[in-house]
Amino acid sequence: GAGVSQSPRYKVAKRGQDVALRCDPISGHVSLFWYQQALGQGPEFLTYFQNEAQLDKSGLPSDRFFAERPEGSVSTLKIQRTQQEDSAVYLCASSLARSISPLHFGNGTRLTVT
Amino acid sequence: TQLLEQSPQFLSIQEGENLTVYCNSSSVFSSLQWYRQEPGEGPVLLVTVVTGGEVKKLKRLTFQFGDARKDSSLHITAAQTGDTGLYLCAGAPGTYKYIFGTGTRLKVLA
C-alpha cells in the first residue's frame, strides 16, 4: 500500500557530473510523470510515460535530460553534465489511468548542483 | 512556461479570516485540479472539477470552475493554521497531462 517513492531524497552534484533519479510508482499505475519544481514555484512538466512508452518528452529542457521506464514500472530520470540551472526539486507522479486522473506524487528529489 | 497564473502569489492572514485564491488562463481546460503542498513533500490532490460553472465544497474549502473552463477559484472560510501551505492549480489542456499554475503560498497566523 505504499505511495510513490523517490530516491535519493537529496543529491548534491558537482557541475559536470551525471546524476540518476529513481521513481517507484504505485503498483499498477499506468501513467508516470516527471516534473521539475523551482523553489516556491509550481511544478513544470518534463515528460510522460504510459506503461513503458514515453509518449511526451516535450518538457525536457535539453538533450542532457533523459528518462526511461523500461518495464513499465520503475522510472529513472538521468541528467548528464549537470549545470547549476538544473538545481531544483524533481517530482515524480503516477496515476491509475491512461487518461486524465488524479496524480499521486512522491516527495521529490532535491538536486543541488555546485 | 506556465500557462496558468495564480494570484495572489503570497498571502499572510490571521486565523479565522476568509480568503480567495485565483487561477487564470487564456486556455481552455478539460478539467482542473487543486493541490496543496507542504515543505519537503509532494503536492496532494484536494479536488478535481470538470464541468464549466461547477462548484465543489470540501469542508471549509469551496472550489469553482469558470463557465468557460479557463479559470478557477479556491475560497477558504475561517482559515486555520493547518491550512498553511502552497496551493497549486493544475489544468488539463488535453487528455493526459496537467500543467501547473505558478502557486500561491498561504500562511495562516495564530
Side-chain angles (χ1 to χ4, degrees):
Chain A
V4 177
S5 177
Q6 292 188 245
S7 61
R9 285 284 280 131
Y10 304 93
K11 176 70 179 177
V12 178
K14 291 189 190 301
R15 191 163 60 92
Q17 283 184 332
D18 298 349
V19 298
L21 313 180
R22 178 185 168 105
C23 173
D24 276 276
I26 294 172
S27 178
H29 276 199
V30 168
S31 296
L32 186 145
F33 301 81
W34 283 98
Y35 286 86
Q36 180 190 61
Q37 186 175 28
L39 190 63
Q41 300 293 313
E44 296 222 14
F45 172 81
L46 294 177
T47 188
Y48 164 66
F49 289 87
Q50 187 180 106
N51 295 310
E52 70 279 1
Q54 188 176 21
L55 299 186
D56 186 339
K57 52 182 182 179
S58 62
L60 295 177
S62 78
D63 59 7
R64 295 186 296 105
F65 286 70
F66 171 76
E68 60 183 5
R69 194 187 184 198
E71 296 178 359
S73 56
V74 171
S75 177
T76 303
L77 176 67
K78 297 179 180 178
I79 309 173
Q80 297 177 324
R81 304 181 304 281
T82 52
Q83 304 293 317
Q84 282 193 320
E85 61 263 28
D86 300 335
S87 295
V89 174
Y90 290 86
L91 293 167
C92 175
S94 68
S95 67
L96 184 60
R98 291 179 175 79
S99 58
I100 292 296
S101 59
L103 297 178
H104 299 264
F105 281 88
N107 287 332
T109 293
R110 180 177 295 281
L111 173 65
T112 303
V113 182
T114 60
Chain B
T1 303
Q2 306 276 176
L3 299 177
L4 283 161
E5 292 289 332
Q6 289 184 235
S7 61
Q9 189 176 358
F10 300 99
L11 191 54
S12 180
I13 60 171
Q14 293 294 131
E15 201 169 27
E17 291 184 354
N18 302 332
L19 67 117
T20 302
V21 176
Y22 299 93
C23 172
N24 294 293
S25 175
S26 57
S27 302
V28 176
F29 298 106
S30 59
S31 65
L32 191 139
Q33 296 180 334
W34 283 91
Y35 291 79
R36 187 173 82 195
Q37 184 178 24
E38 303 204 22
E41 299 181 5
V44 175
L45 179 68
L46 297 173
V47 77
T48 301
V49 285
V50 178
T51 306
E54 183 175 2
V55 177
K56 279 193 173 179
K57 292 192 176 185
L58 183 66
K59 297 183 180 178
R60 295 174 294 100
L61 278 60
T62 301
F63 305 86
Q64 183 161 8
F65 201 11
D67 291 341
R69 291 184 288 126
K70 293 183 179 181
D71 53 78
S72 182
S73 64
L74 157 61
H75 183 78
I76 301 179
T77 302
Q80 300 177 356
T81 55
D83 295 328
T84 293
L86 178 67
Y87 287 82
L88 296 160
C89 63
T95 60
Y96 62 88
K97 73 183 179 189
Y98 276 95
I99 303 299
F100 280 80
T102 48
T104 294
R105 186 165 297 280
L106 172 65
K107 186 167 187 177
V108 182
L109 305 169

